């Protein structure tokens, strides 16, 4: 009797919807992380353009000098290491 009540098609549809929802959540999280990282890079680039100094920019933004230096290198922004 239990086998007669099982609806394979409904189960597949339920699992498909669950997988789609999980994919959306993961995609949203990944997109938010990428957006935040791009925003941080933009702030660093703008600050470096003003200060022209990696240590000053790092202090201003309260970020590690290594991160500021990496952005400067990646975007070929001339900045002093002082």
């Amino acid at each position: 009797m239990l086998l007669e009540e099982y609806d394979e098609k409904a189960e597949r549809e339920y699992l498909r919807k669950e997988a789609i929802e999980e994919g959306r959540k993961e995609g949203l999280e990944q997109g938010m992380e990428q957006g935040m990282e791009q925003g941080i890079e933009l702030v660093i680039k703008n600050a470096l353009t003003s200060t022209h100094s990696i240590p000053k920019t790092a202090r201003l933004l309260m970020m590690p000098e290594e991160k500021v230096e990496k952005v400067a290198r990646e975007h070929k922004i001339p900045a002093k290491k002082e």
Side-chain angles (χ1 to χ4, degrees):
M1 181 178 258
L2 183 61
L3 292 176
E4 291 176 17
E5 294 176 15
Y6 178 74
D7 186 348
E8 184 179 348
K9 185 176 179 181
E11 176 70 11
R12 278 194 311 245
E13 182 64 20
Y14 172 78
L15 292 174
R16 185 183 77 78
K17 286 180 181 178
E18 287 289 313
I20 289 171
E21 183 61 31
E22 183 65 29
R24 284 184 183 147
K25 285 179 184 177
E26 289 176 12
L28 181 60
E29 288 173 10
Q30 184 180 21
M32 289 174 65
E33 287 175 18
Q34 288 175 348
M36 289 292 290
E37 188 60 36
Q38 289 173 352
I40 290 168
E41 281 191 24
L42 182 61
V43 168
I44 293 171
K45 285 172 28 181
N46 290 339
L48 271 172
T49 302
S50 298
T51 66
H52 302 287
S53 166
I54 291 172
K56 284 181 185 177
T57 300
R59 281 193 307 274
L60 175 71
L61 300 176
M62 294 185 268
M63 292 185 175
E65 284 187 30
E66 295 80 21
K67 183 162 184 75
V68 175
E69 187 174 358
K70 179 183 174 210
V71 171
R73 217 178 24 255
E74 287 174 354
H75 295 281
K76 299 177 182 159
I77 300 171
K80 299 175 192 171
K81 295 181 185 179
E82 297 177 6

